[in-house]
Amino acid sequence: FKLYSGIQHKISFCSSLKYIVTTEMADLLRPLSDQIQEVQSFREKNRGSSLFNHLSAVSESIPALGWVAVCQKPGPYVKEMNDAAMFYTNRVLKDYKDTDPRHVEWVRSYLSIWTELQTYIKEHHTTGLIWNKTGPVATPSMFRAPSVGPCPPPPPPPPPGPPPMFMDDSPKPDDTSAQHSALFAQLNQGEAITKGLKHVSDEQKTHKNPNLRSQEGRTHQGSPAKSQNPSSSACAPAKKHSPVLELEGKKWRVEHQEKSHDLVIEETELRQVVYVFSCSNSTLQIKGKVNSIIVDNCKKLGLVFDSVVGIVEVINSRDIQLQVMGKVPTISINKTEGCHVYLSKDSLDCEIVSAKSSEMNVLVPEGEDDYREFPIPEQFKTLWDGSSLVTEPTKIAG
């Protein structure tokens, strides 16, 4: 991925960002948004790849390129994306650190992109992108897509020998840098960037005038010709995926299950992993002993399993219930809202690691059929003891 080539003229349209809103700015930044979405789509289309953790590291951190649209302190935003990448690069290191040093070098090189970007932002744009007040104004020609010409001929075949795992995709010295410099010169117009904004009075704001909302609804109903315009039509509904429950190599895939409460995996082996993705309002039982379990992007999922020799991970999910019947050494909860963990008597020594999650509870067996519930703290306080920082849960957090 040519990460640096477009780093200052594209954007990831994430809901957490505060945008610099002008038509010109949106047009200039739209190409990067499209490219970021392509990167993330590529990862979703290759979930069965042996390099899925590599793809996930790139997909989770690539929105950092949208730092130019963060109005205040973009550095921490880039760091947050870097931390998201590390969640997956740590898996890469775990899998390859003793077998293939190329993967380890890739992790080091890739993470250095974001650390160096943080250093650059801290030095030049600490409080947000700084504009050149004396620079020229961006012209409309900057927003037009270049004309499409014939496709270039394919590159010559590579020399014989084993192909590298990761292709060198660094920018080649050509006139691209000159084009980027011209683009930045157009962008650096300073305060003139706000000239395209139109002031809206309180009388024109729909959230302060309910009558305007009703008038807008009648206008749309009386204008069928406009509703037929593809550019103004509503977004198409999300594509319906077929449910999956199958063994693919050493991986059990349980995907896109909805309202299925009789899902069972019985024929398991110690070397197998279970990957549960995008399931909702369902219940899954895993019998026997497996290597690891990953629950990703699920809602209202109940998971009952016997034993796991590695780790059970819950990522980007909501309202998850886990019940351990045997033993599990580690449970990881990341970016999850609502997770109840029912431990067995044999798994009381389980280590639970949580990050960026809320509403987490651990239920410990008490007696024969009863459980006692303990909340996992979400709020902490940190103090300097004279030599180091000491962090502990606050009392209000339970």
Side-chain angles (χ1 to χ4, degrees), residues 8-196:
Q8 288 182 313
H9 69 289
K10 297 184 179 181
I11 178 175
S12 169
F13 291 100
C14 298
S15 58
S16 60
L17 295 183
K18 296 181 180 178
Y19 302 109
I20 305 172
V21 183
T22 65
T23 302
E24 294 86 351
M25 190 69 168
D27 288 339
L28 285 171
L29 299 177
R30 185 174 295 111
L32 178 58
S33 176
D34 296 339
Q35 293 298 321
I36 290 175
Q37 292 175 11
E38 285 191 22
V39 171
Q40 295 173 333
S41 298
F42 184 81
R43 175 238 192 180
E44 295 300 325
K45 295 176 182 177
N46 292 273
R47 287 189 168 273
S49 171
S50 60
L51 300 178
F52 180 70
N53 286 327
H54 303 70
L55 298 177
S56 297
V58 177
S59 176
E60 291 293 322
S61 58
I62 202 69
L65 299 182
W67 72 270
V68 293
V70 180
C71 297
Q72 295 180 352
K73 298 183 178 179
Y77 171 72
V78 176
K79 183 181 184 302
E80 182 180 350
M81 297 298 102
N82 185 46
D83 293 342
M86 291 179 65
F87 181 82
Y88 292 96
T89 55
N90 287 341
R91 297 184 186 180
V92 176
L93 295 176
K94 179 181 178 182
D95 293 340
Y96 294 100
K97 64 180 180 180
D98 297 326
T99 58
D100 195 335
R102 293 180 299 171
H103 295 262
V104 179
E105 177 62 21
W106 178 84
V107 169
R108 186 197 64 78
S109 300
Y110 182 72
L111 293 180
S112 68
I113 295 172
W114 306 125
T115 54
E116 291 176 11
L117 178 58
Q118 292 176 59
T119 302
Y120 169 78
I121 293 174
K122 184 177 181 181
E123 182 178 353
H124 300 285
H125 306 280
T126 306
T127 58
L129 187 63
I130 299 176
W131 298 92
N132 182 359
K133 295 182 179 181
T134 61
V137 178
T139 61
S141 61
M142 297 294 296
F143 315 138
R144 301 193 188 104
S147 58
V148 179
C151 297
M165 183 180 67
F166 304 105
M167 300 299 293
D168 182 11
D169 208 10
S170 58
K172 302 299 185 295
D174 55 11
D175 61 345
T176 302
S177 58
Q179 295 176 2
H180 291 167
S181 299
L183 175 60
F184 296 149
Q186 296 290 341
L187 283 174
N188 292 334
Q189 55 180 297
E191 296 176 352
I193 193 71
T194 61
K195 289 183 178 180

Side-chain angles (χ1 to χ4, degrees), residues 322-323 339-345 347-348 352 360-376 398:
L322 307 178
Q323 184 168 4
C339 186
H340 289 67
V341 180
Y342 293 80
L343 297 177
S344 65
K345 292 183 179 180
S347 61
L348 294 180
I352 301 177
M360 299 171 291
N361 295 278
V362 178
L363 293 95
V364 178
E366 204 173 61
E368 292 296 328
D369 300 316
D370 197 11
Y371 285 87
R372 185 178 178 185
E373 185 174 356
F374 296 89
I376 296 179

